Amino acid sequence: SEEVIILTSEHACKVFVFLRIRERLQQGILFRTAIAVILAAENKNVDFIVSLAGMMTDAKTTLQYQNRILCETSNNFSESEVEESQRITGQLYDILKKAPNKQKAVEECRTYMTEYANTMTPEQQEKYNMTGQNRFAILRTFGTTWFFELFKLDMTKYLKKVKCPVLAVNGKKDLQVEWTTNFALFSKYIKGHGQLTTHAYEDRNHLFQHCQTGLVNEYGKIEETFSEDVLKDIEAWLEEK
């Protein structure tokens, strides 16, 4: 979320400044989240950043992408049902984006889900995660500051301010952050500075593990923690800075 991420980036900034003063060397940021970009945008002393599949797209785009993947990889969803799931989640995300506060967002989402669930059979409620228990769990998530503020976060305003060299890496089988859309935003706002390098890795998931599917439930089954070739590329890029 913007509120939570900004607070976290402020904390990271204090650590960064301390290290820079203490070491008096080039200092950069390597992060999996959007914090690296936010910190580089707000602190001109950052010498470089490495983004490890950090999300640059808006929350709705990213979560709709994840939802579509989950539905399409399920044998229980037809094409029309995938689109219906997208429509339902899209409506909820629009409410979150437009709501003035999280209390209002939860109230409007509860009303929408309750009214929609009442038109469904029990089987449909189960399929679309609209049972009473599902709705309760969803609303608990929607009511958190982190999740609500995530829909207020606009990374483009930070990307525009980044002036230092940037290395952005993604796996081509990353099913949490879609790499082509992510790289397009980096290119649009940073490439003009002449300091952007991007790498997309074949058969790598969100955690940069070699994978078969890229699905979340595959992560724990893979012995590899982080691809060695990705680490070597990062090291080589850093040595040039």
Side-chain angles (χ1 to χ4, degrees):
S1 73
E2 187 151 15
E3 177 181 330
V4 175
I5 287 177
I6 294 301
L7 289 174
T8 307
S9 67
E10 287 176 354
H11 176 72
C13 185
K14 291 176 182 177
V15 175
F16 169 80
V17 171
F18 169 76
L19 289 172
R20 189 177 181 90
I21 292 173
R22 187 168 182 264
E23 301 295 339
R24 297 188 181 279
L25 299 170
Q26 273 203 334
Q27 298 289 338
I29 312 294
L30 187 149
F31 253 102
R32 181 171 291 282
T33 68
I35 291 175
V37 171
I38 294 174
L39 185 53
E42 301 299 334
N43 189 320
K44 303 309 178 186
N45 290 318
V46 174
D47 297 311
F48 60 85
I49 61 175
V50 178
S51 173
L52 302 174
M55 184 186 82
M56 297 300 116
T57 55
D58 62 273
K60 180 180 178 181
T61 297
T62 298
L63 293 175
Q64 288 282 81
Y65 167 71
Q66 294 175 5
N67 180 67
R68 179 175 289 278
I69 293 294
L70 288 173
C71 291
E72 288 179 343
T73 54
S74 170
N75 294 327
N76 297 325
F77 277 80
S78 65
E79 185 176 340
S80 62
E81 288 172 334
V82 171
E83 295 307 319
E84 180 64 7
S85 179
Q86 287 287 88
R87 193 187 69 78
I88 294 170
T89 54
Q91 180 63 36
L92 290 171
Y93 297 153
D94 284 340
I95 291 173
L96 285 165
K97 188 171 184 177
K98 296 174 183 176
N101 53 63
K102 62 184 179 182
Q103 290 77 17
K104 185 67 173 176
V106 169
E107 179 184 323
E108 291 185 11
C109 286
R110 179 185 289 111
T111 298
Y112 172 77
M113 287 194 293
T114 300
E115 291 178 352
Y116 198 89
N118 288 338
T119 69
M120 294 176 157
T121 64
E123 292 74 21
Q124 288 174 324
Q125 289 182 6
E126 189 72 33
K127 171 168 283 193
Y128 293 105
N129 292 323
M130 294 287 275
T131 65
Q133 186 175 4
N134 291 145
R135 299 198 305 273
F136 177 78
I138 290 169
L139 289 171
R140 283 191 64 180
T141 299
F142 286 3
T144 62
T145 299
W146 172 83
F147 198 83
F148 174 74
E149 292 293 335
L150 186 63
F151 286 83
K152 311 300 182 185
L153 182 64
D154 178 9
M155 286 305 300
T156 61
K157 72 180 183 181
Y158 298 105
L159 285 167
K160 293 174 182 177
K161 296 179 181 179
V162 174
K163 304 300 181 184
C164 66
V166 176
L167 171 63
V169 295
N170 260 88
K172 288 190 176 182
K173 285 190 176 178
D174 186 336
L175 302 184
Q176 293 183 248
V177 176
E178 200 278 317
W179 70 276
T180 58
T181 307
N182 224 39
F183 281 4
L185 285 171
F186 273 114
S187 296
K188 181 177 181 179
Y189 294 103
I190 294 179
K191 194 170 184 178
H193 307 157
Q195 302 188 88
L196 173 66
T197 303
T198 60
H199 285 300
Y201 295 87
E202 298 286 349
D203 298 321
R204 249 51 68 87
N205 61 22
H206 186 61
L207 302 184
F208 296 94
Q209 301 167 308
H210 284 85
C211 64
Q212 294 295 320
T213 66
L215 293 170
V216 174
N217 60 13
E218 188 184 38
Y219 294 173
K221 302 174 185 177
I222 301 173
E223 185 174 349
E224 180 181 50
T225 302
F226 197 104
S227 295
E228 187 175 345
D229 56 339
V230 179
L231 289 174
K232 287 181 177 179
D233 286 345
I234 293 172
E235 182 182 13
W237 184 84
L238 290 173
E239 286 178 349
E240 295 176 357
K241 301 304 142 191

